[in-house]
Amino acid sequence: MRIDEITLTYYKEITMPLIRSIAIILLAATFGVPPCPAQNDYGTFYVEGRYLYDPCGTRVIIRGANAMIVFWDRGGEKNYPELAKTGANCCRIFWKTGHDPEPVIPAADLDETLTNCWENKMIPMPSLWDATGKWENLDTCMDYWLRDDVLAVLRKHQQHLLLNIANEAGNTVMEGYVDKYVSLVKKLRDAGLHCPIVIDADRWGREWQTVVNKGPPILEQDPDKNLIFSWHNWDPYHYRNGTKAGIKEAVDQSIENNICFIFGEFGPSEGCGNPEGKRIEWEYMIEYADKNDIGWLAWVWRWRDCHAVVTMDNDAYGSWTNEPWGEGVAVTNPHSIQNTAKRTPYIENGVCGGSVGVRAPEGQGGAEKTVPPLNDAAAAGRESMFRVFDIQGRLVPAFHGANSHSLAGIFLVRTESRGTMPSVKARALIR
């Protein structure tokens, strides 16, 4: 076996597009042929047809809850660890651009909460509440996301991010819905954000017909074709949204239109004053969603009213409230978060298929060295951490033992050592 090695040092964050570009150059130079297409050019989660996939190409069905983060638990220290105990793979994060007496929410706070959510093995989905019912405030949300310091945070996290532009923008069925969201998506893509973008229905998030029927033309004009459409399943009294018939119709139409569709919010009832009169058929909803691979996020993990899953005072896993809703949607219902949520190896460890193994070159000890993924908290104290990518720019599953002797080709090793800048080494294994 001959090993040719090229070392490239890059004094900014080493991103998936850079790694992929290096791979293309090296493969063409070594073998004279172009590589196969990557599963995703940007190393982000991505949508194909009606399904969401992680950067490794493994399907992800969203299961989790909304969390009231920005005002009451900004870093998520209370919410994330407890929600994670259910096995949730995603958390939708209540966020704002600012409020009185804090007109500007610092970008560093957003960075902290996204970091903590991901470290608890859940995909963060931040959403801005500034435009709730207020179509005219969509631009306010965009100004925040595109602010230089905020944009830097989003770029930093986009390999494990779902970005919900705004919560429930519009208080009715909005004219210009398609054109507006096409424009907003283009701005985000032009700014270098290639993660899935989540778009809520209008009329306070309740108009499923809008996302199901107007989602496809928006998706068609997204250069990345990487959009998720979210319906908030509320208000059965007026719109039959929470009824079994309404739920089935929405899901069936989303499947027919081949869009990635999720229930971004739902609860046991529309309001707390007359819960039985405005009851949401949530048990049927999560069962039908499970049967059809539809993602969902319950409203809400920790709060004071009839929609809370756990109590505000205790806020711990197991402190269920609003029986049978809280414990049922979280753990006991056959289609609950705990019984249906799946975390892919990428969500668990930041790698594809398990631990990353790096085989030592012959003549240098010949021993195999297994090293942890970069975001493995238990390995934070070790001197060096690695990630290995194939020629398609994808994270490589563990390769060691007998299987490693059959490997050949170009592999890129991203090395990060404490106190130094990261580097990428391209190793050509020619047998």
Side-chain angles (χ1 to χ4, degrees):
M1 176 178 70
R2 186 174 83 250
I3 298 180
D4 298 322
E5 185 175 287
I6 301 172
T7 301
L8 305 120
T9 303
Y10 185 65
Y11 291 98
K12 293 183 180 179
E13 182 181 5
I14 296 177
T15 62
M16 184 67 72
L18 173 65
I19 291 170
R20 176 164 163 73
S21 298
I22 295 168
I24 291 170
I25 294 168
L26 289 168
L27 184 66
T30 306
F31 300 107
V33 294
C36 298
Q39 292 178 3
N40 178 269
D41 285 346
Y42 300 103
T44 65
F45 284 77
Y46 67 96
V47 169
E48 187 171 298
R50 70 182 190 91
Y51 295 108
L52 176 69
Y53 296 86
D54 72 14
C56 309
T58 304
R59 185 180 295 177
V60 177
I61 309 299
I62 290 173
R63 290 286 186 274
N66 290 261
M68 307 280 272
I69 294 295
V70 72
F71 297 142
W72 302 278
D73 181 27
R74 188 167 296 182
E77 290 86 355
K78 294 181 179 179
N79 283 268
Y80 299 145
E82 300 304 315
L83 174 57
K85 291 176 183 177
T86 66
N89 60 24
C90 183
C91 179
R92 184 168 179 257
I93 299 168
F94 182 116
W95 204 250
K96 291 271 287 185
T97 63
H99 67 107
D100 292 332
E102 187 180 21
V104 178
I105 302 295
D109 291 357
L110 179 64
D111 185 20
E112 179 185 11
T113 206
L114 296 180
T115 298
N116 290 341
C117 186
W118 182 243
E119 287 183 350
N120 278 281
K121 305 182 188 303
M122 297 183 295
I123 309 164
M125 183 194 293
S127 180
L128 287 173
W129 255 247
D130 299 71
T132 302
K134 299 177 181 178
W135 188 252
E136 66 275 13
N137 284 2
L138 268 174
D139 289 334
T140 300
C141 296
M142 285 301 296
D143 289 344
Y144 178 82
W145 295 133
L146 296 176
R147 211 174 74 195
D148 287 346
D149 54 346
V150 173
L151 186 58
V153 170
L154 298 179
R155 286 173 174 161
K156 172 184 175 181
H157 290 277
Q158 73 168 320
Q159 288 186 342
H160 50 255
L161 187 72
L162 309 178
L163 181 63
N164 192 181
I165 293 177
N167 176 68
E168 300 181 355
N171 62 356
T172 187
V173 177
M174 303 306 303
E175 294 292 332
Y177 183 93
V178 171
D179 290 343
K180 184 65 175 179
Y181 275 110
V182 166
S183 172
L184 299 183
V185 169
K186 184 178 186 302
K187 288 179 180 179
L188 292 169
R189 301 303 187 213
D190 289 346
L193 292 176
H194 300 285
C195 59
I197 295 171
V198 183
I199 298 176
D200 282 6
D202 50 10
R203 195 168 56 76
W204 303 91
R206 290 155 169 77
E207 188 71 14
W208 68 259
Q209 294 88 344
T210 295
V211 288
V212 167
N213 297 319
K214 296 181 180 180
I218 301 173
L219 181 66
E220 181 61 30
Q221 295 180 72
D222 175 17
D224 292 354
K225 304 292 188 290
N226 200 9
L227 304 178
I228 298 171
F229 298 95
S230 177
W231 175 41
H232 295 182
N233 186 20
W234 298 110
D235 212 349
Y237 185 77
H238 292 106
Y239 303 105
R240 78 184 186 98
N241 282 357
T243 64
K244 292 180 180 179
I247 291 164
K248 184 178 186 301
E249 184 180 5
V251 169
D252 291 351
Q253 285 294 313
S254 75
I255 293 171
E256 182 177 336
N257 287 1
N258 199 33
I259 61 169
C260 189
F261 175 85
I262 65 170
F263 294 95
E265 288 184 16
F266 68 98
S269 64
E270 167 66 17
C272 299
N274 180 22
E276 283 305 312
K278 298 182 179 181
R279 189 179 190 279
I280 305 294
E281 295 286 353
W282 65 270
E283 298 98 332
Y284 172 81
M285 192 214 87
I286 63 175
E287 178 182 1
Y288 200 64
D290 190 22
K291 290 179 178 178
N292 289 279
D293 295 331
I294 300 292
W296 54 260
L297 297 158
W299 181 270
V300 56
W301 179 249
R302 171 180 176 260
W303 192 230
R304 297 186 179 93
D305 68 7
C306 65
H307 303 113
V309 174
V310 298
T311 64
M312 189 73 171
D313 295 333
N314 190 327
D315 64 55
Y317 173 95
S319 63
W320 315 118
T321 188
N322 297 313
E323 186 181 354
W325 160 250
E327 187 175 17
V329 76
V331 300
T332 59
N333 187 286
H335 308 283
S336 66
I337 299 172
Q338 189 159 289
N339 287 323
T340 63
K342 292 181 176 62
R343 293 173 180 160
T344 68
Y346 183 80
I347 296 172
E348 284 281 359
N349 303 306
V351 297
C352 301
S355 301
V356 174
V358 180
R359 185 176 176 79
E362 286 185 355
Q364 297 183 25
E368 181 178 274
K369 181 179 180 183
T370 300
V371 292
L374 281 175
N375 65 346
D376 186 347
R382 301 182 189 179
E383 183 175 350
S384 296
M385 291 177 282
F386 303 79
R387 269 182 164 173
V388 180
F389 300 84
D390 64 14
I391 57 174
Q392 298 174 8
R394 297 178 299 191
L395 287 165
V396 179
F399 55 94
H400 50 78
N403 292 335
S404 67
H405 296 289
S406 63
L407 290 173
I410 295 175
F411 298 92
L412 302 174
V413 182
R414 182 190 192 276
T415 307
E416 183 173 321
S417 299
R418 190 176 293 274
T420 65
M421 291 292 180
S423 68
V424 169
K425 292 184 178 181
R427 296 177 180 265
L429 307 182
I430 305 170
R431 300 181 188 277

